Amino acid sequence: MPAREGTYGLLAEFDTPSDLVRAAQKARLDGWRRMDCYTPYPVEEAAEAIGFHRNKVPLLTLIGGLIGCSAAFSMETWISTLAYPLNIGGRPTYSWPAFIIPAYEWTILWAGLSAAFGMLALNGLPSLYHPLFNAPNFRNGATTDKFFLCLEALDPRFDLVESKKYLESMGPVSVVEVEY
């Protein structure tokens, strides 16, 4: 039975992080790939259980830093040699040791900005709405003392009736259908 139009997925609520991790590991082993865990504090085992891989923020930070360094060094070289060359005390117009400190500062600035904006973009933020906000007990439970596993309807294995039975077999407190 295909998912109904407007179904985001099924949300299972657990009381302990160990129950959540066991359920996530079982779902991953059974072939589920489109799922996510929601906890009030970081649970590293849950991230490993759902197959969370490396993120791309470090690469974006490196690229931003390299762009900042090369932009600053190029700008200083162009200004000192072509746009406004000054002969001060017989020194050469291209004096690269003087360019190191500003280029270093631009490296830090661009790396920091690319890390911050890259993280926001990769997380899909700012997001003012998520379908899980409508699920009962999610708003209060996910920030205080409950642990949630969501099987998304985009997963090829998702079937509303069978998926609900599958989640209920894991022993959650409740299983609810989440709609858009």
Side-chain angles (χ1 to χ4, degrees), residues 26 28 30 41-42 68 72 74 84 86 88 99 132:
K26 184 174 180 346
R28 181 85 176 159
D30 290 342
Y41 52 84
S74 300
Y84 196 64
L86 292 175
I88 300 172
F99 303 163
L132 293 180

Side-chain angles (χ1 to χ4, degrees), residues 117-177:
F117 290 118
M119 181 267 309
L120 290 173
L122 291 173
N123 287 334
L125 296 175
S127 176
L128 303 176
Y129 173 77
H130 195 279
L132 293 180
F133 293 161
N134 297 328
N137 202 25
F138 183 77
R139 281 188 188 224
N140 294 330
T143 59
T144 55
D145 62 346
K146 299 293 181 190
F147 303 88
F148 296 92
L149 175 65
C150 180
L151 298 179
E152 298 177 7
L154 296 175
D155 195 292
R157 293 190 48 132
F158 189 85
D159 175 77
L160 191 60
V161 176
E162 294 299 318
S163 300
K164 189 166 186 168
K165 287 179 188 175
Y166 177 76
L167 278 176
E168 287 172 346
S169 71
M170 295 183 193
V173 175
S174 66
V175 176
V176 294
E177 179 183 353

Side-chain angles (χ1 to χ4, degrees), residues 26-68:
K26 184 174 180 346
R28 181 85 176 159
L29 289 174
D30 290 342
W32 289 90
R33 295 297 178 255
R34 298 290 308 227
M35 63 180 159
D36 208 350
C37 295
Y38 301 92
T39 62
Y41 52 84
V43 179
E44 295 296 327
E45 295 85 9
E48 293 171 12
I50 63 172
F52 184 75
H53 298 292
R54 292 182 37 205
N55 62 32
K56 298 175 183 164
V57 175
L59 179 62
L60 289 175
T61 305
L62 174 66
I63 291 170
L66 292 174
I67 289 171

